[in-house]
Amino acid sequence: MTRHICLTLCLSCLSILLIVLAVWDHLPDHRILHIRTSDTDREPTATKVTRELSVSPSLLDVTNFSIKSHSVFRSYRRVRSVTECSATPEKRFDCARDRALSRAECQSRGCCYVPLPADLSGGPPWCFYPPSYPGYTMGPFVPTSKGRAANLTRSKPSYLPRDITALRLEVAEETSSRLHITLKDPSFPRYEVPVSPPPSEQSSGIKNPLYDIKFHSDPFGFVVRRKSNGRVLLDTTVAPLLFADQYLQMSTSLPSPLISGLGEHYTPITLDLNWTSVTLWNKDMAPHSDANLYGSHPFWLVQEGDGLAHGVFLLNSNAMEVVLQPMPALTIVSLGGILDLYVFLGPDPQSVARQYQEVVGYPMMPPYWALGFHLCRWGYRSTNETRSVVQRMHEANFPLDVQWNDLDYANKRRVFTFDPVQFGDLPEMVQEFHQKGMRYVLILDPGISSTAQPGSYWPYDEGLRRGVFIKNSTGHTLIGKVWPGLTAFPDFTNPEAVRWWEECIRDFHAKVPVDGLWIDMNEPASFVHGSVDGCPDTDLEKPPYVPDIIGGQLSFGTLCMSGQQNLSTHYNLHNLYGLTEAIATYSALLKVRGSRPFVLSRSSFPGLGRFSGHWTGDVRSDWEQLRYSVPAVLLFGLFGVPLVGADVCGFGGDTNEELCVRWTQLGAFYPFMRNHNDRPNAPQEPFVFSQEAQAAMRSALLLRYSLLPFLYTLFHRAHTSADTVARPLFLEFPTDDNSRTIDRQFLWGSSLLISPVLEQGSVELSAYFPLGMWYSLHDGQPCHSKGQYFTLSAPLDTINIHVRGGHILPQQVPALTTTAARSNPFSLTVALSDEGWASGELYWDDGDSLDTYERGDYSHILFTAGQSRLVSDPVVLNGALDGLILGNLRVFGVPSSPKAVLANGEIVTDFTYQSTTMSLTVLSLSLPMTEEFTVQWIL
């Protein structure tokens, strides 16, 4: 009887187990995916699809159990060995990224299917590649003019539609710190990003490369190591290479979880690797988490954990998703083009940023006035209202260099026009601003109105005649909808469109002499999806896989992917639209004005910094957005776009006094500073707040203006050496463990530490000081840090700024415009190191002419301090500093009160010494900046 009961129980348990196994055979990976399953099962507007388990009643029918169990066992005979499928969850690479798969479907791909507990939902994949998953086989290398090449072949196609079974691998060791690896189709040319290759050394001339690369032939993969320590930087053998017409996938391990880049997203300075993903597809989308924003930058930098760093750049402009996992590892999926990888070996983070910019281009040198304060609002409804704002700013003694107008100026919102009633005297207003020493910038959207009567709107009529607009798949002008209504979109890859754009700007500038142009809505954005006529039902519009993008389809809020441009389809060129417009606008301004162009672009792609600055878009007026503006600015510095900032006080929603004061204090240390506001919101110009708030804002602005000679010198270094301007701490202190993820503080260059208040109601903050001597820029209060946090007082009128020991800052007496300030006396702040030394420099030119450095038309002065004296050394002089003097001097870290101060051997009586801060202030100097001088303090 007992045996019978046991046997019955065993059979019951076995039945339950087999039922569960049978159910599993039909169970798809439960994680949320964004998929298109087949040509007959598309959901164009869905962004995410969760497949639910549905169990057939017959599957649970006990009478049919034996039949079902046989199919289950047959299925399991196809399952790979336990060893093949034993990868820990964090090391699984998704075999079902293109669509959700059941167990049977997963195993039919030759992949492992191992479900995970519910608490891991949304994380590791259930269906993943085994180590021996078949891929490409690599043939022998042959030498080429640039390096070496090999053929890759597949013995059988992958599971992807329109798989490409033969590839060409090209490897170029371009410099000792830059490796270039390309994978493309050798039989049929594919779209490639149209850029000029960077300069490279002859392979035979490369000495002591920092890298070593090994190839695995079957299945194909490669491993890049740092030669100095053998550390694996990339290992693509962790998962198979996939290369189909509209789906390119490559995975690699990472040596550290400290990865930065892959913008533009609303993230901290380092990315979250806990099964997250970022999508690169330019979109008109206000910054918020888990969204693709205005720009695409497929570049990442990895801090390796010991002060070393490397970077990787995938030169590809197609829609892209990068999946991050805690192994640490990442997987890149691109919807087209080729795999064109650059690897930068550093060895330090700043060198990685420089090597990246050697490929995409060093930043342009901005005009000096662009570093001043800019003021804008969508809602300055007339020239009189705009004039009034400028007058009230100056009456309240706020610096203001550049006044802007949003689209209010345009007649019927059509660009290259101005409203004859509300802005009828716009040309006269701009001339008035110029007479005040100010500049003027207005918005210029790319969409050209197509609804005006023929012959009444030259930009459209002429553009249509010359064929400059993007066309739809039938060859007609593609019509979308933006602010003026129905619009056509210039194709800036068409040389004729570039010439037409220049003529439009030239004609408008002859009427309204603008000083710069603000190019907005250039992702490009449209208020209809694709076009007013819809888009054709093609694979370009509905590819087999769509990354996790806002709207769920590529044409959401933009143009049809089948749109025809000069170089290719919009499917390939979408992410380049803003860059190509910036290039055309920069070129037009250069030719029309004959001086340094100022362009500000919302959309971005690698290389934008050569032609334009960037602002971070439609940020909300709240404390979270204030806080996240810091990593946003720092990341664009890494991307080679140093002229960057967020809208001070926020663009969307009503600000408040405390928030606006704190944002103005932080914004005073954005490389680009503009207060910008939306139409329905409460006013946020500095003069509308209380006297206490105005005093705090004025103090921050005047501090910025006093530091502009230093900031301008930093931009010179960015332009000539690819140094960063606003700099994350880890870039300057790569061996400091505490600096690796700090993004609530930042540096200007290597000298100035900015510690803003980012939380409501705070009157103190905890600030990190790397190892060394630091001094308060306000009063010279010293702080000797062992690499530690200090609590700093931060009342509403204060932003904490500290200068690093060993550095000298050139400053200038501020004024209400840079035009006036550039004639004022200079000052120097000398922050002595523990050993009593310091150094600094000043780069100076006329602030506006083209190529002053390249033509040698500039002045460059070196400053050194040591042994109780300061010495200036004018290395290069061109007359730009003629008549300018050093008026005063501050020296921090002077151990005792000087007995005397001498300037060029002459006794100076006007000096003070503060023993509590060990700071010396020397006033009433009148030392010509064009001459060598020495200031000595005798102890």
Side-chain angles (χ1 to χ4, degrees):
M1 182 67 177
T2 303
R3 290 178 181 176
H4 179 72
I5 293 173
C6 292
L7 179 60
T8 302
L9 289 172
C10 289
L11 288 172
S12 298
C13 291
L14 179 59
S15 299
I16 292 171
L17 175 62
L18 291 173
I19 289 171
V20 170
L21 291 176
V23 170
W24 274 3
D25 196 39
H26 293 263
L27 178 65
D29 188 332
H30 74 294
R31 294 167 306 121
I32 294 175
L33 296 174
H34 26 279
I35 61 168
R36 302 208 186 281
T37 53
S38 70
D39 285 344
T40 59
D41 185 20
R42 287 196 174 102
E43 297 181 28
T45 60
T47 57
K48 296 183 178 178
V49 176
T50 303
R51 295 182 58 183
E52 297 179 356
L53 172 63
S54 57
V55 182
S56 167
S58 64
L59 191 62
L60 300 180
D61 187 347
V62 177
T63 60
N64 291 329
F65 178 76
S66 60
I67 299 174
K68 299 293 181 184
S69 66
H70 285 304
S71 66
V72 170
F73 286 128
R74 282 199 303 272
S75 175
Y76 269 81
R77 281 197 292 270
R78 296 196 302 270
V79 175
R80 292 180 174 272
S81 70
V82 173
T83 302
E84 283 275 88
C85 297
S86 62
T88 56
E90 69 273 10
K91 294 184 179 180
R92 295 182 176 187
F93 289 85
D94 197 350
C95 183
R97 176 145 296 279
D98 59 316
R99 64 186 182 92
L101 300 178
S102 68
R103 173 187 290 275
E105 291 170 321
C106 173
Q107 292 173 347
S108 71
R109 288 186 172 185
C111 291
C112 299
Y113 190 91
V114 182
L116 291 167
D119 60 351
L120 291 178
S121 174
W126 289 12
C127 180
F128 55 96
Y129 299 105
S132 61
Y133 191 88
Y136 289 91
T137 301
M138 185 178 79
F141 272 116
V142 295
T144 67
S145 60
K146 296 181 179 179
R148 48 185 171 153
N151 292 323
L152 308 183
T153 55
R154 268 189 177 278
S155 58
K156 61 178 182 179
S158 73
Y159 53 81
L160 295 170
R162 296 189 301 281
D163 195 36
I164 297 173
T165 57
L167 297 176
R168 178 76 165 176
L169 166 69
E170 297 175 357
V171 182
E173 298 178 357
E174 294 185 340
T175 71
S176 61
S177 57
R178 186 175 76 229
L179 180 65
H180 190 186
I181 302 165
T182 305
L183 288 160
K184 60 178 69 175
D185 184 348
S187 302
F188 298 96
R190 293 174 60 81
Y191 163 76
E192 300 183 29
V193 179
V195 297
S196 301
S200 60
E201 304 168 12
Q202 292 293 328
S203 298
S204 58
I206 295 175
K207 297 180 180 179
N208 302 318
L210 301 180
Y211 49 82
D212 178 68
I213 183 168
K214 301 294 184 185
F215 294 90
H216 191 276
S217 61
D218 189 16
F220 168 76
F222 59 86
V223 178
V224 179
R225 287 182 170 85
R226 185 176 294 283
K227 185 173 284 188
S228 63
N229 56 17
R231 177 179 294 138
V232 174
L233 306 183
L234 292 100
D235 181 357
T236 69
T237 67
V238 295
L241 166 70
L242 301 177
F243 203 120
D245 184 39
Q246 290 182 277
Y247 190 100
L248 286 62
Q249 177 175 301
M250 176 179 283
S251 301
T252 180
S253 64
L254 301 169
S256 161
L258 297 169
I259 178 173
S260 300
L262 296 172
E264 175 180 12
H265 299 96
Y266 189 73
T267 65
I269 192 71
T270 54
L271 295 169
D272 178 9
L273 269 64
N274 189 24
W275 299 105
T276 61
S277 67
V278 292
T279 302
L280 280 65
W281 185 245
N282 294 2
K283 178 74 180 74
D284 172 12
M285 179 53 56
H288 64 279
S289 60
D290 303 320
N292 51 300
L293 302 181
Y294 310 104
S296 294
H297 295 268
F299 163 74
W300 71 85
L301 182 151
V302 178
Q303 302 175 63
E304 297 169 24
D306 53 2
L308 301 177
H310 71 276
V312 179
F313 173 41
L314 174 58
L315 182 55
N316 182 296
S317 63
N318 288 87
M320 192 182 303
E321 186 170 31
V322 182
V323 183
L324 304 161
Q325 63 191 76
M327 179 180 166
L330 61 77
T331 297
I332 303 168
V333 177
S334 174
L335 270 57
I338 65 172
L339 293 176
D340 194 359
L341 285 169
Y342 290 88
V343 185
F344 311 107
L345 271 289
D348 58 88
Q350 181 66 64
S351 296
V352 172
R354 183 176 298 113
Q355 291 154 11
Y356 168 64
Q357 291 176 64
E358 288 172 356
V359 172
V360 302
Y362 284 12
M364 53 83 186
M365 185 67 182
Y368 194 92
W369 56 263
L371 307 185
F373 181 58
H374 302 240
L375 183 60
C376 186
R377 178 173 187 165
W378 190 6
Y380 293 149
R381 294 163 295 183
S382 67
T383 51
N384 286 339
E385 189 172 351
T386 308
R387 284 187 179 98
S388 175
V389 167
V390 171
Q391 181 179 353
R392 293 184 67 184
M393 283 291 290
H394 284 166
E395 286 176 350
N397 289 315
F398 285 106
L400 176 60
D401 254 85
V402 193
Q403 182 59 47
W404 297 46
N405 275 120
D406 208 315
L407 204 53
D408 309 89
Y409 78 90
N411 186 21
K412 299 180 181 179
R413 296 181 173 179
R414 293 170 180 161
V415 294
F416 302 116
T417 71
F418 57 92
D419 186 324
V421 177
Q422 299 300 322
F423 285 83
D425 61 345
L426 179 60
E428 290 78 12
M429 184 186 77
V430 175
Q431 293 291 1
E432 293 167 18
F433 290 165
H434 288 166
Q435 290 167 9
K436 296 176 184 289
M438 294 174 55
R439 268 73 176 190
Y440 181 74
V441 171
L442 49 68
I443 197 168
L444 182 64
D445 292 342
I448 302 296
S449 173
S450 62
T451 59
Q453 289 294 322
S456 65
Y457 185 43
W458 190 87
Y460 180 72
D461 294 337
E462 183 67 7
L464 197 63
R465 185 184 72 81
R466 292 161 70 170
V468 305
F469 299 121
I470 295 175
K471 294 178 172 57
N472 60 25
S473 59
T474 65
H476 297 91
T477 298
L478 187 151
I479 301 297
K481 186 176 182 181
V482 202
W483 299 116
L486 301 183
T487 52
F489 297 85
D491 172 15
F492 294 105
T493 70
N494 181 348
E496 187 61 26
V498 174
R499 287 187 287 269
W500 161 85
W501 189 250
E502 179 189 326
E503 291 173 27
C504 290
I505 291 174
R506 184 182 300 278
D507 290 347
F508 187 74
H509 187 272
K511 304 183 189 84
V512 184
V514 298
D515 299 287
L517 290 170
W518 166 26
I519 52 176
D520 192 11
M521 305 293 288
N522 59 342
E523 291 72 32
S526 178
F527 301 154
V528 296
H529 308 315
S531 80
V532 294
D533 300 314
C535 302
D537 187 11
T538 66
D539 288 331
L540 291 180
E541 306 296 343
K542 299 175 181 179
Y545 174 77
V546 177
D548 187 8
I549 59 175
I550 296 294
Q553 60 186 25
L554 296 180
S555 60
F556 185 88
T558 188
L559 312 185
C560 293
M561 296 299 100
S562 54
Q564 300 297 307
Q565 298 188 234
N566 181 61
L567 286 183
S568 187
T569 61
H570 196 69
Y571 180 89
N572 291 323
L573 296 171
H574 172 83
N575 281 346
L576 291 176
Y577 193 85
L579 173 62
T580 56
E581 186 194 15
I583 294 171
T585 307
Y586 180 94
S587 173
L589 284 174
L590 189 152
K591 294 175 183 177
V592 169
R593 297 183 70 248
S595 58
R596 283 181 219 168
F598 173 82
V599 180
L600 188 76
S601 174
R602 189 171 72 178
S603 177
S604 63
F605 190 79
L608 180 77
R610 295 172 58 194
F611 310 99
S612 176
H614 172 70
W615 91 105
T616 61
D618 296 343
V619 294
R620 295 190 314 272
S621 296
D622 64 41
W623 291 91
E624 181 186 273
Q625 298 262 330
L626 169 69
R627 180 260 180 277
Y628 276 97
S629 73
V630 178
V633 166
L634 298 179
L635 286 167
F636 268 91
L638 296 182
F639 298 151
V641 189
L643 189 66
V644 59
D647 284 342
V648 171
C649 301
F651 174 77
D654 291 340
T655 193
N656 61 70
E657 183 163 288
E658 181 191 2
L659 175 62
C660 202
V661 167
R662 292 305 193 189
W663 212 320
T664 302
Q665 291 169 340
L666 170 60
F669 291 90
Y670 292 153
F672 168 69
M673 185 186 189
R674 182 185 68 163
N675 181 319
H676 181 40
N677 193 8
D678 199 0
R679 288 178 300 177
N681 304 335
Q684 62 187 38
E685 295 86 0
F687 55 73
V688 304
F689 297 101
S690 70
Q691 291 302 312
E692 178 188 12
Q694 287 190 45
M697 294 178 178
R698 187 180 299 109
S699 175
L701 284 168
L702 290 173
L703 178 58
R704 177 186 180 88
Y705 270 63
S706 77
L707 288 165
L708 288 184
F710 172 59
L711 181 60
Y712 191 65
T713 301
L714 293 180
F715 269 98
H716 163 68
R717 285 294 171 194
H719 173 61
T720 59
S721 305
D723 288 354
T724 47
V725 176
R727 185 173 301 179
L729 269 66
F730 76 77
L731 228 68
E732 186 66 24
F733 303 98
T735 60
D736 183 345
D737 293 349
N738 295 320
S739 294
R740 292 173 182 167
T741 59
I742 289 177
D743 59 8
R744 300 173 69 92
Q745 298 170 262
F746 59 100
L747 297 156
W748 267 12
S750 59
S751 309
L752 214 57
L753 177 65
I754 296 98
S755 305
V757 170
L758 302 173
E759 295 174 349
Q760 185 175 8
S762 295
V763 292
E764 64 178 24
L765 74 152
S766 178
Y768 181 72
F769 288 80
L771 178 67
M773 180 64 78
W774 299 86
Y775 302 90
S776 168
L777 184 62
H778 172 62
D779 60 9
Q781 182 70 44
C783 174
H784 190 281
S785 176
K786 298 178 182 179
Q788 62 199 102
Y789 282 88
F790 292 90
T791 299
L792 304 177
S793 175
L796 189 62
D797 64 352
T798 299
I799 179 171
N800 281 277
I801 309 296
H802 289 80
V803 59
R804 185 180 177 189
H807 294 260
I808 299 175
L809 305 180
Q811 296 177 254
Q812 201 168 23
V813 175
L816 299 187
T817 65
T818 56
T819 302
R822 283 175 57 89
S823 299
N824 285 344
F826 283 88
S827 65
L828 294 174
T829 296
V830 179
L832 297 174
S833 67
D834 287 331
E835 295 78 24
W837 296 88
S839 63
E841 63 175 337
L842 171 68
Y843 174 85
W844 199 255
D845 56 22
D846 68 10
D848 206 36
S849 295
L850 295 167
D851 301 327
T852 52
Y853 176 74
E854 292 77 5
R855 294 185 289 105
D857 187 15
Y858 65 93
S859 294
H860 186 210
I861 303 178
L862 300 180
F863 305 104
T864 56
Q867 298 179 328
S868 299
R869 71 177 61 202
L870 166 74
V871 177
S872 82
D873 179 13
V875 179
V876 179
L877 292 172
N878 73 327
L881 286 168
D882 288 355
L884 297 178
I885 62 169
L886 179 72
N888 63 67
L889 168 70
R890 294 191 300 170
V891 186
F892 299 155
V894 178
S896 61
S897 179
K899 299 175 182 177
V901 174
L902 304 177
N904 290 336
E906 299 286 334
I907 294 177
V908 177
T909 58
D910 192 359
F911 71 90
T912 60
Y913 178 79
Q914 294 292 331
S915 59
T916 55
T917 60
M918 297 190 297
S919 60
L920 168 67
T921 301
V922 184
L923 302 174
S924 303
L925 295 171
S926 186
L927 301 173
M929 294 293 289
T930 54
E931 299 176 9
E932 295 181 9
F933 59 74
T934 300
V935 179
Q936 184 178 7
W937 48 99
I938 300 173
L939 302 179

